């Protein structure tokens, strides 16, 4: 076991993450579905090959799903949430390079019907993600197309539709905090190429937090793993996770921040990982009502994911 250490440059990144999460209580930004995860197809231990020079097509599939309740929420639009995300690895070169297709949805329901489960909005994404391993780190580039649509909006005679696509690049690297490479960090830059914010009635298109003016965003993710129990093979099968993100977004009229902090207990199985936990998130513009509002959300839920490639 290596002695705990963090290099000085990486300490700055950690400090920036903590500060950004603290500032997020008065901040705003858009909500990519994958904002709170680190996706890396090359990190799936089940897909590792012994032949570094081998080229393979359609080598693996993976993803994640989550469901939970916002027990505390500062707006009327959030009560229940569900996320489904998947990736399909199209091409792989040994354990060094990967090209994958991804697709995600985020479903939001409120309490405004007689069963306290009223579909309110759905966010949708698809993208292409290329990953290349450099030593113990990973460089990723890709393109994501994202959109959001209201559900049952005729009942309230209001609608806010969003389209925003971006070219992205990220750098993911491990650190040793209390154990050997127990902390995973990822820094991602998105440059927006497609932006659209249509509000009905048109009277609400007043430029307030208008996603039409998106320019770029910078996001820092972290995931810290603490083993709790070890299986007979010496590998941890029960872990405690603390993870989060901080994101700064450049709009045409200013800069905003967003962030999340989450704690989970996870059980590894042969086919994936099951996590149960609590998270706190602030969104300065939730992207749902035609009159933009901020939202502070405290939720509890369960997540199921491919171990290794989804953190």
């Amino acid at each position: 076991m290596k002695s705990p250490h963090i290099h000085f440059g990486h300490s700055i990144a950690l400090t920036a993450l903590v500060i950004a999460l603290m500032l997020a209580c008065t901040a705003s930004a858009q909500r990519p579905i994958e904002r709170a995860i680190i996706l890396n197809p090359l990190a799936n231990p089940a897909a590792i090959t012994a032949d570094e020079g081998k080229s393979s097509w359609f080598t693996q599939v993976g993803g994640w799903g989550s469901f939970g309740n916002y027990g505390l929420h500062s707006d009327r639009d959030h009560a229940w949430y569900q996320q489904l995300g998947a990736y399909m690895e199209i091409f792989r070169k040994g354990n060094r390079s990967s090209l994958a297709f991804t697709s995600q949805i985020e479903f939001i329901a409120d309490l405004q019907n007689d069963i306290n489960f009223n579909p309110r909005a759905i966010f949708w994404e698809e993208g292409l993600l290329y990953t290349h391993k450099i030593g113990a780190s990973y460089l990723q580039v890709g393109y994501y197309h994202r959109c959001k649509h209201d559900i049952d909006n005729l009942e309230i005679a209001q609608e806010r539709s969003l389209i925003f696509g971006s070219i992205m690049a990220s750098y993911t690297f491990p650190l040793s905090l209390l154990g050997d490479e127990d902390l995973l960090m990822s820094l991602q830059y998105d440059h927006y190429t497609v932006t659209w914010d249509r509000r009905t009635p048109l009277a609400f298109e007043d430029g307030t937090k208008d996603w039409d003016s998106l320019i770029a965003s910078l996001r820092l993710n972290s995931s810290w793993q603490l083993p709790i129990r070890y299986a007979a093979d010496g590998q941890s099968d029960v872990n405690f996770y603390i993870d989060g993100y901080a994101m700064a977004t450049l709009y045409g009229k200013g800069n905003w921040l967003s962030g999340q902090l989450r704690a989970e207990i996870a059980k590894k199985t042969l086919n994936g990982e099951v996590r149960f936990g609590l998270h706190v998130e602030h969104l300065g513009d939730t992207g749902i009502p035609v009159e933009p509002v901020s939202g502070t959300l405290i939720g509890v839920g369960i997540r199921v994911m491919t171990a290794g490639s989804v953190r």
Side-chain angles (χ1 to χ4, degrees), residues 49-56 91-96:
T49 175
D51 188 352
E52 287 289 352
K54 182 180 180 181
S55 297
S56 305
F91 176 79
R92 185 185 185 98
K93 180 74 171 179
N95 300 311
R96 287 286 177 180

Side-chain angles (χ1 to χ4, degrees), residues 142-144 165-169 189-193:
Y143 183 84
Y144 276 84
S166 64
I167 300 171
M168 57 77 65
Y189 172 79
D190 283 80
H191 188 82
Y192 295 95
T193 60

